[in-house]
């Protein structure tokens, strides 16, 4: 026992994210489903995770794989029935695992009955559920914002003769949070799921719900940073003026009445937003997903956005992580992630997915899990699953990837090979290939034809193999997850960065009362002296966990790290 009060116990837990479409198919239709998840709960229990975040399972036309919801209270038939859901939830609870649902309420689907009604006439009672605007005098869209999936955020609606706003695809109209009825609808659907027994929510792009309205009722143009009409407008919508007010209301109306665990996805979040929103007394959510560390390997200001590649400079990562660690210490709580359904695989992105695949996957896990915050493991990360490089665009399914390819190779004149290189490095389908369960057909994911090709390396990298190998990435994650439950310093220790300027070694300490652990990670494929500062190098240290065979007592003064070595030592 760690001595934490019960309300704080969630901080010892690790969260596991399931992308249901790609997790496990029980009925051979090629799409993962709820009974498939239920059948794998023992696997999750063996890993030791305390919480599951389940990506959307609601009725959806799947323009964006479920992030476009047409009925918030229905299970998509391809995933199963409400009875399947109840059985899955009961199975999780029986194993002491909590469930966080995905709450996607910045927008819904254009096939939701709210939008179907809203778009029919300006006098329809649902019209005010969405955001409408008149064209400019020359007929062009109301402002210059570019949507996340290319094109304008404005789509023309013929029946009412006006544009509607969609920050993502045109099939994902943004909801009008200024309208109190919309907010009440959201609170009602949250209560519906909480009354069924779910334990909380991951809230999709939650810091975009308040838009930056001007006094005249229009939305401002984004600053012009490149040629052409369309400009990135996300910076303006990610910190709207009424965000804290809306979240505060949601807390009072819903969250305060249930024991919930919440994490808000917050692109472009500042540390100030992080502190405001996750403050244990005055904030509204338990954690945020901030994005700064996910943006470090793109060229800032490049019109291609995340697709404009740039190698990671480890010093940038240190700077970003340390800023969030320091800023939220004692006044908020971080989420810790390298991976989710929108990001490429960390072992390919920040490690070496060939020669040192196992070592670097374990190093990255060590590095992440010892920071302060709640670690998130995305399905397959615990196996060290790498990226994939399909040779043609035809194998890809993700709307963001497909639209990028079309625009890049079309109007932007980028060579197909170059666009594909960005897709191989950053595309979201890297994370969305079927979970490799075994070396069998389609990695054991389905007996039918999978909705997207199975991982070409599933024959070598799969759960069955990992479970049979005590040295696997899986068992290493299990040890990290178990350590967090019995080491208070891992949960509450104060973080201090060492060696801020070292280009290859990432070192930090976590200290609580008289206990200190030192974490030293080699982010490179070459041996490197750890070069620890004198005040640390002069201390004695006992080995706690690491990805190479045990060092027992380690002499810190002349420590050399092997390729992608991670070491955690207790300073004595
Ligand atoms: C963030 C989600 O994680 C992503 O998958 C989705 O495309 C957008 N929000 C829109 O819902």
């Amino acid at each position: 026992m760690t001595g934490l009060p019960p309300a704080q116990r969630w901080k010892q837990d690790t969260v596991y994210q399931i992308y249901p479409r790609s997790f496990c198919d029980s009925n051979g239709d090629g799409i993962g489903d709820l009974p498939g998840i239920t059948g794998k709960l023992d696997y999750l229990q063996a890993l030791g995770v305390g919480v599951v975040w389940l990506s959307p399972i609601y009725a959806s036309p799947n323009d964006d794989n479920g992030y476009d919801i047409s009925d918030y209270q229905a299970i998509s038939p391809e995933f199963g029935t409400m009875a399947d859901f109840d059985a899955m939830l009961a199975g999780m609870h029986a194993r002491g695992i909590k469930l966080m649902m995905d709450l996607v309420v910045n927008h819904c689907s254009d096939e939701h009955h709210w939008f179907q009604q809203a778009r029919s006439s300006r006098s329809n009672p649902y019209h005010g559920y969405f955001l409408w605007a008149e064209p400019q005098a020359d007929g062009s869209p109301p402002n210059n914002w570019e949507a996340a999936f290319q094109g304008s955020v404005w789509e023309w609606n013929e029946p009412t003769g006006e544009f509607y706003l969609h920050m993502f695809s045109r099939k994902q109209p943004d909801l009008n949070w200024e309208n109190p009825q919309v907010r009440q609808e959201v609170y009602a659907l949250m209560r519906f799921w909480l009354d069924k027994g779910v334990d909380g929510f991951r809230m999709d792009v939650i810091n975009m719900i308040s838009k930056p309205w001007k006094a005249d009722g229009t939305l401002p143009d984004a600053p012009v940073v490149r040629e052409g009409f369309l400009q990135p407008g996300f910076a303006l919508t990610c910190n709207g003026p009424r965000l804290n007010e809306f979240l505060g209301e949601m807390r009072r109306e819903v969250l305060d009445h249930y024991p919930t665990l919440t994490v808000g996805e917050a692109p472009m979040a500042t540390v100030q937003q992080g502190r405001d929103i996750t403050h244990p007394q005055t904030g509204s959510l338990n954690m945020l997903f901030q994005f700064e560390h996910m943006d470090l390997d793109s060229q800032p200001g490049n019109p291609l956005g995340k697709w404009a590649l740039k190698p990671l400079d480890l010093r940038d990562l240190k700077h970003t992580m340390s800023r969030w660690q320091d800023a939220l210490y004692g006044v908020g709580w971080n989420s810790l992630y390298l991976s989710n359904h929108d990001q490429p695989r960390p072992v390919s992105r920040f490690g070496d997915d060939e020669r040192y695949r196992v070592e670097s996957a374990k190093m990255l896990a060590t590095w992440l899990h010892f920071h302060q915050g709640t670690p998130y493991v995305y399905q397959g990360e615990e196996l060290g699953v790498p990226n994939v490089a399909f040779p043609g665009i035809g194998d890809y399914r993700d709307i963001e990837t497909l639209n990028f390819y079309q625009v890049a190779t079309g109007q932007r004149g980028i060579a197909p090979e170059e666009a594909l290189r960005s897709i191989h490095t950053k595309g979201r389908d890297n994370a969305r290939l079927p979970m490799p369960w075994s070396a069998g057909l389609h990695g054991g994911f389905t007996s039918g034809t999978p909705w997207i090709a199975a991982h070409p390396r599933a024959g070598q990298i799969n759960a069955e193999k990992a479970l049979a190998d005590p040295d696997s990435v899986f068992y290493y994650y299990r040890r990290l997850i178990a350590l967090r439950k019995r080491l208070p310093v891992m949960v509450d220790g104060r973080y201090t960065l060492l060696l801020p300027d070292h280009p290859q070694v990432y070192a930090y300490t976590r200290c609580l009362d008289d206990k200190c652990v030192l974490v030293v990670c080699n982010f490179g494929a070459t041996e490197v002296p750890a070069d620890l500062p004198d005040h640390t190098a002069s201390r004695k240290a006992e080995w706690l966990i690491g990805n190479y065979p045990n060092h027992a007592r380690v002499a810190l003064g002349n420590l050399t790290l092997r390729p992608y070595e991670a070491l955690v030592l207790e300073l004595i």
Side-chain angles (χ1 to χ4, degrees):
M1 280 287 85
T2 69
L4 284 175
Q8 303 268 302
R9 290 261 163 78
W10 61 270
K11 292 186 172 172
Q12 301 167 286
D13 279 336
T14 297
V15 182
Y16 188 90
Q17 184 193 351
I18 293 180
Y19 194 68
R21 177 166 294 272
S22 305
F23 192 61
C24 182
D25 175 21
S26 72
N27 63 359
D29 67 357
I31 297 172
D33 49 41
L34 300 180
I37 297 173
T38 306
K40 296 296 182 186
L41 293 179
D42 288 343
Y43 172 85
L44 298 183
Q45 193 177 27
L47 187 58
V49 297
V51 183
V52 163
W53 151 26
L54 185 58
S55 279
I57 52 163
Y58 318 96
S60 164
N62 285 314
D63 192 49
D64 185 17
N65 281 0
Y67 283 91
D68 48 321
I69 297 169
S70 53
D71 184 345
Y72 288 95
Q73 293 173 16
I75 305 289
S76 171
E78 62 191 5
F79 293 141
T81 63
M82 198 55 94
D84 293 331
F85 175 85
D86 292 339
M88 179 193 72
L89 182 60
M92 287 179 180
H93 285 169
R95 290 167 179 80
I97 298 174
K98 299 190 181 86
L99 176 62
M100 273 200 285
M101 300 285 277
D102 216 312
L103 183 74
V104 189
V105 288
N106 172 68
H107 46 268
C108 61
S109 162
D110 67 340
E111 295 182 33
H112 194 291
H113 80 88
W114 296 336
F115 191 73
Q116 293 289 307
Q117 300 248 356
R119 77 182 324 170
S120 66
S121 91
R122 290 193 186 204
S123 59
N124 187 282
Y126 287 99
H127 189 261
Y129 275 36
F130 296 89
L131 300 166
W132 307 93
E134 305 297 328
Q136 299 195 37
D138 64 357
S140 56
N143 75 5
N144 65 359
W145 297 357
E146 182 176 53
F149 300 150
Q150 312 290 336
S152 168
V153 296
W154 298 102
E155 183 72 12
W156 183 250
N157 182 52
E158 195 55 47
T160 56
E162 60 196 332
F163 285 96
Y164 66 86
L165 181 85
H166 60 87
M167 294 305 295
F168 292 87
S169 96
R170 67 169 69 92
K171 287 184 67 62
Q172 293 167 296
D174 279 45
L175 285 160
N176 177 13
W177 275 71
E178 304 289 329
N179 181 342
Q181 264 172 285
V182 167
R183 305 203 297 273
Q184 287 305 324
E185 297 268 16
V186 170
Y187 305 151
L189 74 90
M190 292 172 74
R191 288 185 203 108
F192 169 83
W193 289 103
L194 290 166
D195 288 338
K196 283 188 79 65
V198 312
D199 305 284
F201 298 101
R202 174 269 185 186
M203 302 183 184
D204 193 70
V205 289
I206 200 65
N207 65 341
M208 290 172 62
I209 56 178
S210 162
K211 306 294 191 273
W213 298 103
K214 294 196 290 184
D216 66 0
T218 63
L219 288 168
D221 270 327
V224 176
V225 294
R226 62 189 200 215
E227 272 179 39
F229 176 63
L230 295 180
Q231 305 293 326
F234 272 72
L236 292 170
T237 56
C238 285
N239 197 3
R242 296 185 71 189
L243 175 64
N244 288 335
E245 180 195 333
F246 291 157
L247 291 179
E249 184 184 83
M250 179 195 280
R251 173 177 170 168
R252 284 191 307 280
E253 292 259 345
V254 185
L255 301 174
D256 278 350
H257 305 280
Y258 299 83
T260 53
L261 188 60
T262 51
V263 55
E265 188 199 26
M268 299 197 173
T270 59
V271 288
Q272 186 58 47
Q273 219 175 34
R275 271 198 295 249
D276 289 346
I277 294 178
T278 72
H279 190 282
Q281 276 81 45
T282 54
S284 304
L285 308 179
N286 296 114
M287 319 165 236
L288 280 191
F289 287 131
Q290 60 88 11
F291 278 68
E292 277 181 24
H293 63 307
M294 293 286 103
D295 294 334
L296 299 176
D297 54 359
S298 316
Q299 299 164 25
N302 189 303
L304 290 184
K306 77 172 203 181
W307 306 102
L309 308 177
K310 167 175 165 280
L312 174 75
D313 182 331
L314 191 63
R315 288 162 291 202
D316 293 342
L317 186 64
K318 293 178 186 184
H319 179 70
T320 289
M321 291 298 287
S322 304
R323 226 157 44 77
W324 281 86
Q325 290 286 296
D326 292 339
L328 268 56
Y329 182 76
V331 292
W333 192 249
N334 274 292
S335 67
L336 305 172
Y337 75 98
L338 278 176
S339 191
N340 60 43
H341 64 294
D342 294 331
Q343 299 295 337
R345 292 294 190 172
V347 69
S348 302
R349 187 176 190 178
F350 303 119
D352 172 345
D353 61 14
E354 293 292 343
R355 178 160 179 201
Y356 295 114
R357 186 184 66 82
V358 169
E359 290 82 354
S360 61
K362 292 177 181 173
M363 182 280 285
L364 291 167
T366 316
W367 170 83
L368 189 75
H369 284 233
F370 271 90
H371 279 86
Q372 187 174 41
T374 293
Y376 286 73
V377 180
Y378 176 71
Q379 65 187 43
E381 179 186 330
E382 78 281 14
L383 305 174
V385 171
N387 279 349
V388 68
F390 292 133
I393 193 67
D395 284 321
Y396 289 92
R397 298 286 175 270
D398 167 35
I399 180 173
E400 184 193 48
T401 302
L402 299 177
N403 289 3
F404 159 70
Y405 185 82
Q406 199 190 12
V407 170
T409 58
Q411 71 208 50
R412 290 198 194 279
I414 292 172
E417 313 77 68
E418 201 187 320
L420 277 170
R421 202 162 62 82
S422 288
I423 291 169
H424 296 161
T425 313
K426 286 287 184 69
R428 304 197 297 184
D429 281 340
N430 280 306
R432 298 178 180 189
L433 297 195
M435 173 84 172
W437 292 107
S438 72
L441 185 67
H442 307 307
F445 163 73
T446 180
S447 58
T449 306
W451 69 276
I452 186 169
H455 203 294
R457 293 171 71 183
Q460 299 78 47
I461 304 166
N462 60 64
E464 194 175 85
K465 207 168 158 190
L467 289 171
D469 171 9
D471 244 1
S472 66
V473 180
F474 178 91
Y475 287 116
Y476 193 82
Y477 267 83
R478 179 158 106 155
R479 284 160 65 202
L480 285 172
I481 292 166
L483 259 185
R484 159 171 299 268
K485 295 203 183 114
R486 65 173 180 79
L487 269 192
V489 69
M490 213 167 155
V491 178
D492 285 324
R494 173 109 217 198
Y495 166 95
T496 306
L497 180 71
L498 308 175
L499 310 175
D501 298 320
H502 201 295
Q504 189 172 336
V505 176
Y506 196 125
Y508 59 93
T509 53
R510 298 282 310 282
C511 297
L512 181 67
D513 304 328
D514 54 356
K515 206 169 177 81
C516 265
V517 294
L518 167 69
V519 183
V520 200
C521 298
N522 178 2
F523 271 70
T526 52
E527 282 204 353
V528 62
D531 284 341
L532 292 167
D534 289 347
H535 60 81
T536 311
S538 57
R539 299 196 48 183
K540 289 204 172 62
E542 201 109 12
W543 190 92
L544 195 59
I545 187 169
N547 60 350
Y548 277 82
N550 193 338
H551 282 262
R553 279 231 163 158
V554 182
L556 292 180
N558 59 354
L559 182 65
T560 294
L561 298 171
R562 289 164 281 187
Y564 291 104
E565 180 158 11
L567 266 180
V568 184
L569 307 157
E570 195 181 326
L571 298 176
I572 45 179

